[in-house]
Amino acid sequence: MHVMLMADQGRDAATTLAVRSLHDHHPEAVVTVVVTDPTSGAVAPDGATALAARDLEVGSVRYIDAWLIGGRAIARWSVVPAAVRALGAEAMANGVLVLPGSAWVRAGLSDLLAAAPSGGIALLTRATDPAAGIAFGGWVPATVAFGPG
């Protein structure tokens, strides 16, 4: 499993907790912290590697330009596909789980990747009605699973 944490800073307390709690439940996980603040360097807590969003492009637009035009939240979401591509084909072959850098992992996450179709994506809904099979309430922010393939 490859997990990508989207964080403003790479080595703050929240991101460090996210990496540690993730490794508590998935010691085999490869963790990449995508540092989304364009003024911050690419640093990550122990147990993770860092990728600076400022070094990526959103389509044909530099990340910093996406940041200036759309703001922090839009730039962070728009860089996810470029960051996943930067991880390489091996990561995609096993699936990639994107979580916010402030995530506190309290249980296994393998089912999230299993829910994503092969070569597709799965967004997590806020609520579902099991009897009707209907999802509602929007999506859990900053969480997406890229299925293996």
Side-chain angles (χ1 to χ4, degrees), residues 70-132:
R72 182 181 137 218
I74 289 178
R76 175 180 283 187
W77 266 105
S78 65
V79 81
V80 168
V84 170
R85 279 191 302 276
L87 296 178
E90 185 177 336
M92 280 306 298
N94 297 314
V96 177
L97 182 62
V98 180
L99 297 172
S102 59
W104 178 20
V105 179
R106 300 188 58 196
L109 300 173
S110 298
D111 289 346
L112 297 179
L113 279 179
S118 181
I121 65 169
L123 298 173
L124 304 177
T125 58
R126 289 191 183 271
T128 58
D129 180 340

Side-chain angles (χ1 to χ4, degrees), residues 11-58:
R11 202 177 282 162
D12 61 342
T15 306
T16 300
L17 173 64
V19 170
R20 287 181 183 166
S21 65
L22 181 61
H23 281 302
D24 285 347
H25 297 283
H26 294 281
E28 79 292 349
V30 177
V31 181
T32 300
V33 176
V34 180
V35 181
T36 59
D37 183 335
T39 63
S40 295
V43 295
D46 291 340
T49 59
L51 176 63
R54 68 181 180 202
D55 297 334
L56 301 172
E57 290 188 353
V58 176

Side-chain angles (χ1 to χ4, degrees), residues 132-147:
I134 297 173
F136 59 94
W139 309 103
V140 176
T143 305
V144 63
F146 290 83

